[in-house]
Amino acid sequence: MAEDSDAVNHETAATETGRKATITFDDVTKTVLTADGPKSLLKNITLTFEEGGIYGVIGLGGAGKSTLLKLIDGNLTPTSGTVTVLGDNVAGLSDAARARLRSRISRVGVFPDFDEERTILESVAIAAGEAENAVEPDEAARAKALRLLREVSLRSQKDAHPSQLSGGELQRAAVARAFASSPRILLFDEVTAAQDHIEGREILRLIKQFAKESGATVVLATHEIATVKEICDHIVVLDRGFVVEEGPTYAVIADPQTDQTRVFLEAVSSLGKVDTLLAGHDPVVDLRPGQKLIALRYVHEDVSEPLVSLITRKFGIDVNIMLADVQIVGKYPIGGIVGVFEGPERNIRDAVAFLRSKKVRVEILAEN
Ligand SMILES: Nc1ncnc2c1ncn2[C@@H]1O[C@H](COP(=O)(O)OP(=O)(O)OP(=O)(O)O)[C@@H](O)[C@H]1O
Ligand SMILES: [Mg+2]
């Protein structure tokens, strides 16, 4: 992926997973003409999105996230390069073929459009009926719509019209409508932005469940790293129209390679406190002879054993933990530990070698 660009590309190339690519961007650039001349919204984007994957596109305001989503559902066409969706080059489609493609894609935007004349239940049922090629929503479509509205906590408002709902409620209705249409591709643009914390998490849970059950590909644009961390298995970091970094969520969060990514990760703190600890001549780092202050960083997915207790037993050393910030992303620990290691020099050296063999990144911060 992204072979021609400078984007940092964490391992696990799409082709190695054996899953089908549902969306590919091949050197895509989107330029628009403005009063000040041409403006590039996206530049040289090469990306693959696979079937069943949940992708988080993160970037600051204006980075190009919404533009990327609009290129996927054919709302925009590239200025150069090719966007292929479900096997079709989006730019080359007839109107009929484009309509067919669009019926297999749902995009939930920041301001969902609903027919004011209809109740929420009717609108969701119509989407469910269309997915079954029914002219009018039948009983099954209405039942599906009701179930989905219940899932997004809107059952009691099923007979409300769009203007009677809050912004967050309308967005949840749009999520229900998107699921109802049984899409192969689901695009979400800041879908949790208008939700309170609890509803937001619930929506993310539903998206994950839907993706798992249906095998649909999900692309979620957001500037909240927490959202990505919660459900996305892949991250694409956009900055001013460029992909600056992409890869499996775990790899990107555990070991970000660009400053732009680190900006987002500040919320998912890591070992930034270590520097403070060292710089401030804190008494905790006044080491006695034979002690070493060592930082361990978990940056690989396969670190799952309780390594600290293991090394104290195996190598007969003491580890006094000064600082620990470990959280679970996916199924794996991420973050790190700073501890004072004490014991025979040789044993500490062996313990460090052992940790490195377990793919823990080890840094000796200070020693006495
Ligand atoms: N039709 C247009 N004409 C001119 N500039 C545009 C047009 N559409 C988007 N832009 C500009 O392109 C850039 C990318 O826009 P886009 O909406 O994709 O960003 P975004 O990452 O979704 O931002 P946000 O987080 O604010 O939603 C922005 O600077 C925006 O102002
Ligand atoms: Mg946007």
Side-chain angles (χ1 to χ4, degrees):
M1 292 201 285
E3 281 152 20
D4 305 329
S5 76
D6 298 330
V8 175
N9 187 358
H10 293 260
E11 286 161 38
T12 73
T15 46
E16 285 166 18
T17 65
R19 287 193 294 178
K20 252 200 311 204
T22 31
I23 307 162
T24 56
F25 278 63
D26 185 9
D27 200 15
V28 171
T29 292
K30 178 66 185 175
T31 307
V32 290
L33 275 176
T34 69
D36 303 328
K39 177 177 179 184
S40 291
L41 313 188
L42 288 175
K43 291 161 234 170
N44 305 110
I45 307 289
T46 296
L47 286 172
T48 302
F49 299 86
E50 294 178 358
E51 191 166 52
I54 305 184
Y55 294 80
V57 178
I58 61 169
L60 298 172
K65 305 179 293 293
S66 299
T67 305
L68 189 104
L69 297 190
K70 288 176 194 163
L71 284 163
I72 295 173
D73 71 0
N75 229 286
L76 292 174
T77 48
T79 309
S80 65
T82 312
V83 179
T84 307
V85 179
L86 299 170
D88 289 322
N89 175 351
V90 181
L93 296 178
S94 65
D95 288 350
R98 180 167 310 187
R100 233 181 357 261
L101 181 64
R102 282 219 186 141
S103 71
R104 302 168 74 194
I105 304 175
S106 280
R107 176 154 57 92
V108 179
V110 185
F111 305 107
D113 56 323
F114 273 93
D115 185 347
E116 182 58 35
E117 300 302 311
R118 299 184 193 281
T119 66
I120 293 304
L121 177 63
E122 282 164 356
S123 286
V124 177
I126 287 170
E130 280 170 359
E132 310 299 328
N133 290 319
V135 185
E136 283 288 310
D138 56 10
E139 263 319 298
R142 289 177 64 83
K144 183 177 178 185
L146 258 182
R147 176 176 61 76
L148 288 167
L149 285 175
R150 190 182 324 119
E151 283 186 358
V152 298
S153 316
L154 283 178
R155 194 167 196 278
S156 61
Q157 277 140 303
K158 66 182 171 33
D159 297 322
H161 288 262
S163 61
Q164 295 169 310
L165 296 184
S166 73
E169 288 165 346
L170 206 56
Q171 225 173 18
R172 297 213 298 280
V175 170
R177 184 175 59 179
F179 289 162
S181 65
S182 301
R184 299 306 307 143
I185 296 174
L186 264 164
L187 309 173
F188 292 106
D189 203 345
E190 306 288 358
V191 74
T192 52
Q195 306 298 327
D196 63 50
H197 186 61
I198 294 167
E199 281 303 342
R201 286 188 73 127
E202 186 55 18
I203 288 182
L204 294 178
R205 193 187 64 75
L206 289 171
I207 292 173
K208 191 171 183 173
Q209 182 187 322
F210 181 86
K212 197 167 163 214
E213 287 170 6
S214 70
T217 305
V218 176
V219 186
L220 213 144
T222 179
H223 34 240
E224 295 166 346
I225 189 74
T227 298
V228 173
K229 208 180 115 207
E230 186 95 12
I231 65 162
C232 298
D233 39 45
H234 266 75
I235 300 186
V236 175
V237 184
L238 276 183
D239 184 44
R240 284 163 283 183
F242 286 104
V243 172
V244 291
E245 185 158 355
E246 56 125 344
T249 303
Y250 185 90
V252 174
I253 290 184
D255 198 15
Q257 302 293 311
T258 65
D259 288 342
Q260 294 95 327
T261 309
R262 284 185 206 106
V263 167
F264 288 100
L265 294 178
E266 271 164 18
V268 188
S269 78
S270 61
L271 289 178
K273 292 173 207 149
V274 178
D275 298 332
T276 326
L277 185 76
L278 290 173
H281 304 293
D282 198 301
V284 293
V285 291
D286 282 343
L287 301 170
R288 290 199 308 272
Q291 290 184 328
K292 294 184 199 305
L293 185 69
I294 296 179
L296 312 177
R297 282 170 205 262
Y298 297 157
V299 293
H300 278 274
E301 294 186 39
D302 32 15
V303 179
S304 54
E305 299 157 72
L307 288 174
V308 172
S309 66
L310 185 67
I311 56 164
T312 55
R313 272 181 282 126
K314 193 173 163 76
F315 298 98
I317 56 174
D318 286 320
V319 178
N320 185 11
I321 295 174
M322 295 284 123
L323 194 67
D325 184 2
V326 179
Q327 45 187 316
I328 305 297
V329 172
K331 292 195 286 291
Y332 306 102
I334 198 169
I337 292 170
V338 177
V340 174
F341 284 50
E342 185 166 16
E345 172 86 27
R346 198 193 153 75
N347 298 20
I348 293 180
R349 232 187 11 245
D350 289 347
V352 166
F354 175 78
L355 288 166
R356 288 192 171 132
S357 77
K358 293 286 182 183
K359 296 189 179 168
V360 175
R361 191 173 291 169
V362 184
E363 195 186 344
I364 298 171
L365 300 170
E367 54 192 313
N368 200 341

